[in-house]
Amino acid sequence: MYDVVVVGAGLAGLTAARVLSRAGERVRVLEAAPEVGGRVRSRSVGGFVLDAGYQVLFPAYPAVRRHVNLGALDLVAIPPGAVVVRGEKRETLGSPFGDLAALPGTLAARSLGVADKARVAALAVRLRAPAPPELLRGPDESTEGYLRRQGFSEGALDAFFRPFFGGIFLDRSLGTSARLFRYYFRMLMDGGAALPRAGMGALTEQLAQGLEVSLNVPVQRLRTHAGHVTVHSVAGELEARQVIVSTDPGTAARLTGADVARGSVSSTYLYYASAEQIDREARLLLNAEEGFINNAHWLSNAVPGRAPAGGHLLTVTVLGEPDLDDDALDARVRGELGRWYPPAQVQALRTLLVERIRHAQYPQPPEYAAVLPGHATSLPGVIIASEATAMSGIQGAMESGEKAAAIVLNDPVGMSRPRGG
């Protein structure tokens, strides 16, 4: 009999299994897919390394610092700030802290006026003072409402905040909780953004190292008894003292009866290969105009190993899931890219993949934290580990896995750790 069976090898499940295994528990992880990672995975397409969607890692995430050997990930820092694009016109907006290379362009940029630049610096100073978990507390409002109260202009909202944080929240309206905005702003200040040279899948592969993980093993049902749980899977039955369910909301509801669904936010990604270096920019490109493109990134400029020798990789983010087939969407995106680059170069791009992620996040409007589900289920010995208990993203998934493991271990320190801490 296992001490714990973890159902699902995403970030939450792997973190839970890692904590339990290090505490001496005998743990088995069952994953229905042919690989670990859930939405945090990478694959090779024609020699190009593509993540599942456009993802970056914030190395300052507290849960990441506790459980990940960042040195072993071979992280490559993404240049701070971004480039605001309006057709052929560009303006570089660097970070207010230490981005000396971008300082001349930032000072000259009109996307943020002098007053807005001063407000960014003042906001950075104000958000650096509290401990990160404190930024997730207190009265809440929309990010747009919060930024307007700070005095930011309409131009600053449209040119920078909507495309930049819209890419993080997958919500260009900035209707997401201002608490989350403050938290992510702080994470960017504390550690910036980075990518593993081998792809984001290196993160989950590291978490899985040393664990007993069985792939291609969907779990069909759980049956509870006095003191243990029987796990029925396509590979047979397993007995465990306790079970942690770390799956998508639909599967979690089927196995446990727990309602962890909080809706879905979709996003779509187009990956392009180029035989020539059309653009040398390594920063994130923000679309300041109306259109399908929210942001784009020449990943091969930031992380050369993501493309084969002589190749260049562009990832384009489209928010939501447009009601167009892949060919039509590709044509619309190419049409918009044709305002940024010579049309002949855009037409020469080779489409590697159009990827639609129906559940990229769950909605996180103001006060969303008040209705987050807990870890408990109605089944004795069965608990939930899911980003749905905390916040959507890497920190939320990993801290939920930590807390589920702490419940199993009856660890008061782990159980009382604040959200975002």
Side-chain angles (χ1 to χ4, degrees):
M1 177 183 294
Y2 288 92
D3 294 315
V4 183
V5 166
V6 177
V7 182
L11 281 174
L14 290 174
T15 303
R18 192 175 181 87
V19 173
L20 292 166
S21 181
R22 287 180 170 179
E25 300 288 290
R26 187 179 180 218
V27 184
R28 176 90 170 267
V29 182
L30 304 180
E31 169 57 48
E35 59 188 342
V36 301
R39 298 197 306 274
V40 183
R41 55 186 171 79
S42 305
R43 67 280 204 202
S44 178
V45 177
F48 293 85
V49 178
L50 310 183
D51 294 329
Y54 178 71
Q55 302 184 42
V56 295
L57 176 65
F58 293 173
Y61 279 144
V64 168
R65 290 183 170 181
R66 284 191 292 272
H67 298 288
V68 177
N69 181 343
L70 291 172
L73 281 184
D74 192 14
L75 290 177
V76 178
I78 302 300
V83 176
V84 177
V85 182
R86 288 188 179 89
E88 295 180 354
K89 297 180 180 179
R90 296 186 174 198
E91 292 184 329
T92 299
L93 298 176
S95 166
F97 292 95
D99 193 5
L100 297 179
L103 184 59
T106 301
L107 293 175
R110 296 183 179 180
S111 298
L112 290 181
V114 174
D116 283 321
K117 290 166 188 159
R119 292 181 185 107
V120 170
L123 181 64
V125 170
R126 186 157 55 250
L127 296 185
R128 193 179 282 278
E134 293 179 22
L135 299 173
L136 293 169
R137 302 182 189 134
D140 205 1
E141 60 187 312
S142 71
T143 295
E144 179 181 13
Y146 175 75
L147 292 171
R148 290 187 185 280
R149 282 202 304 106
Q150 308 310 306
F152 285 101
S153 69
E154 198 71 37
L157 292 178
D158 290 343
F160 176 72
F161 288 105
R162 292 191 194 282
F164 187 88
F165 284 92
I168 294 175
F169 300 140
L170 306 182
D171 175 16
R172 198 172 172 113
S173 76
L174 298 178
T176 302
S177 162
R179 294 173 182 166
L180 282 176
F181 166 79
R182 293 190 289 265
Y183 184 81
Y184 285 126
F185 195 101
R186 174 62 178 274
M187 292 297 102
L188 283 166
M189 282 196 295
D190 286 355
L195 285 167
R197 196 176 300 274
M200 284 294 289
L203 172 63
T204 43
E205 288 172 5
Q206 185 186 118
L207 290 174
Q209 286 177 4
L211 299 177
E212 186 179 352
V213 181
S214 299
L215 302 175
N216 296 305
V217 182
V219 171
Q220 298 157 323
R221 65 188 179 98
L222 305 175
R223 188 157 48 94
T224 59
H225 313 273
H228 73 283
V229 182
T230 302
V231 180
H232 297 265
S233 77
V234 297
E237 297 180 2
L238 290 176
E239 304 294 333
R241 288 191 298 105
Q242 291 181 278
V243 170
I244 295 175
V245 175
S246 179
T247 65
D248 63 272
T251 302
R254 176 175 61 79
L255 293 176
T256 71
D259 179 15
V260 298
R262 291 299 181 270
S264 293
V265 178
S266 303
S267 56
T268 304
Y269 304 90
L270 296 93
Y271 309 86
Y272 294 104
S274 175
E276 62 176 316
Q277 190 170 33
I278 297 174
D279 193 338
R280 296 183 179 277
E281 182 58 64
R283 286 183 169 85
L284 186 67
L285 305 173
L286 305 178
N287 184 17
E289 298 183 312
E290 294 292 327
F292 280 90
I293 298 174
N294 182 74
N295 56 270
H297 196 191
W298 285 96
L299 280 170
S300 51
N301 291 343
V303 189
R306 294 295 187 92
H312 306 276
L313 174 62
L314 174 67
T315 300
V316 173
T317 300
V318 174
L319 302 184
E321 193 175 2
D323 188 19
L324 297 171
D325 63 29
D326 288 355
D327 290 340
L329 178 60
D330 183 23
R332 293 290 292 270
V333 168
R334 285 174 183 267
E336 293 179 21
L337 289 173
R339 290 177 47 78
W340 299 10
Y341 305 110
Q345 291 181 321
V346 172
Q347 290 308 309
L349 293 173
R350 179 163 55 90
T351 305
L352 295 170
L353 181 67
V354 177
E355 182 173 36
R356 300 170 188 261
I357 301 181
R358 288 188 169 83
H359 181 82
Q361 293 185 17
Y362 59 86
Q364 298 170 105
E367 302 292 352
Y368 84 97
V371 295
L372 290 176
H375 294 267
T377 76
S378 61
L379 301 179
V382 179
I383 60 175
I384 295 287
S386 167
E387 64 175 12
T389 68
M391 67 182 85
S392 201
I394 291 172
Q395 169 68 24
M398 292 186 68
E399 72 176 56
S400 181
E402 283 182 307
K403 192 155 288 189
I407 293 169
V408 171
L409 297 171
N410 195 27
D411 169 20
V413 174
M415 287 189 286
S416 62
R417 184 177 288 117
R419 201 164 56 93

